[in-house]
Amino acid sequence: MVINWNFIVEKIPLYQQAAILTLKLAFWGILGSFIIGIICSAINYYKVKGLNIVVKAYIELSRNTPLLIQLFFLYYGLTKLGLVLTENTCGIIGLSFLGGSYMAETFRGGIEAVSKTQLESGMSIGLSKFQLARYVILPQAFSVSIPAIGANCIFLLKETSILGAIAIVDLMNVTKDLIGMYYQTVESLLMLVVSYLIILLPLSLFLTWLERKVRYAEFGS
């Protein structure tokens, strides 16, 4: 098997453009999932009457339906209701909707890891609910949740490979088009693998470093 390096060099700009778009969509999707996760975990923690049932239903719906189906509903289904969204908007909403449920469960686990003794100590010195959350619950919940948060971020970045199903020109879409037009399967897949490796490896290393940094700050000298 001989790899066509000229083809790879020629098509690198296409992968660069697709990688930039993939990163943009992943960034906004992860940010949206963070916001949704924090809101949902806060509702569950404070047991907001009525809303906690909605949150539980959302988490079950999101975690038990494939992203592809969610994207199809957003992109094709909503048009039947008169609501037309762009491909990129559907991609961001889909990633946020899926990731929000995982982030909510991650934050819930982190919050539950905070001991009741520390909560009682905070209340005994007169801290309000907001101050208790700001200075006691969130810092500890975040440090405990870092590994799971990192795993969720990497998971959502990988899930961007599905966005091509709704005509988003992401890395996977570019690869399928090149294979279909030029039949350069090995070269196209090689560039796809390298592209995701370039994106995911630095993120994985950074999250590993961050986890060690936080743990050292918490339990170190």
Side-chain angles (χ1 to χ4, degrees):
M1 182 184 66
V2 179
I3 296 178
N4 188 342
W5 294 105
N6 291 330
F7 177 82
I8 291 177
V9 172
E10 180 184 348
K11 301 304 179 184
I12 282 178
L14 291 177
Y15 279 85
Q16 289 177 333
Q17 295 173 8
I20 291 172
L21 178 59
T22 297
L23 284 171
K24 286 181 179 179
L25 296 177
F27 171 79
W28 291 112
I30 291 172
L31 180 62
S33 69
F34 260 90
I35 295 172
I36 293 172
I38 291 173
I39 293 173
C40 289
S41 59
I43 290 172
N44 281 333
Y45 178 75
Y46 290 110
K47 296 180 174 59
V48 180
K49 191 175 182 180
L51 290 180
N52 58 340
I53 298 176
V54 175
V55 167
K56 289 179 181 178
Y58 152 68
I59 291 174
E60 292 301 321
L61 174 65
S62 174
R63 288 167 63 96
N64 293 290
T65 54
L67 177 59
L68 183 60
I69 294 176
Q70 297 171 13
L71 291 173
F72 278 179
F73 175 78
L74 291 169
Y75 192 61
Y76 299 110
L78 291 183
T79 57
K80 302 297 183 180
L81 303 177
L83 181 59
V84 180
L85 301 175
T86 65
E87 298 90 345
N88 291 351
T89 301
C90 289
I92 293 171
I93 293 175
L95 289 174
S96 300
F97 184 82
L98 176 66
S101 60
Y102 286 92
M103 290 296 183
E105 290 297 281
T106 296
F107 293 140
R108 180 182 64 81
I111 290 172
E112 290 179 352
V114 180
S115 66
K116 291 184 179 180
T117 303
Q118 296 190 50
L119 299 178
E120 292 170 354
S121 299
M123 288 186 289
S124 68
I125 61 175
L127 293 180
S128 64
K129 286 186 177 181
F130 175 79
Q131 291 173 323
L132 198 62
R134 168 66 179 83
Y135 297 107
V136 179
I137 298 174
L138 290 180
Q140 295 184 64
F142 178 73
S143 64
V144 171
S145 303
I146 282 180
I149 291 173
N152 289 338
C153 290
I154 292 174
F155 165 71
L156 289 176
L157 265 167
K158 291 179 180 178
E159 287 295 289
T160 58
S161 61
I162 299 176
L163 301 183
I166 56 172
I168 293 178
V169 189
D170 67 332
L171 290 167
M172 182 62 74
N173 201 335
V174 167
T175 301
K176 290 190 296 183
D177 287 346
L178 291 179
I179 292 174
M181 289 187 294
Y182 301 101
Y183 300 101
Q184 300 287 345
T185 305
V186 174
E187 290 81 359
S188 300
L189 291 176
L190 177 61
M191 286 189 284
L192 176 65
V193 170
V194 171
S195 296
Y196 272 111
L197 187 63
I198 291 173
I199 292 173
L200 291 170
L201 184 58
L203 176 62
S204 178
L205 294 175
F206 169 74
L207 290 171
T208 301
W209 171 84
L210 181 61
E211 179 184 351
R212 291 176 180 173
K213 190 78 172 176
V214 171
R215 290 189 180 279
Y216 177 80
E218 185 175 357
F219 302 109
S221 60

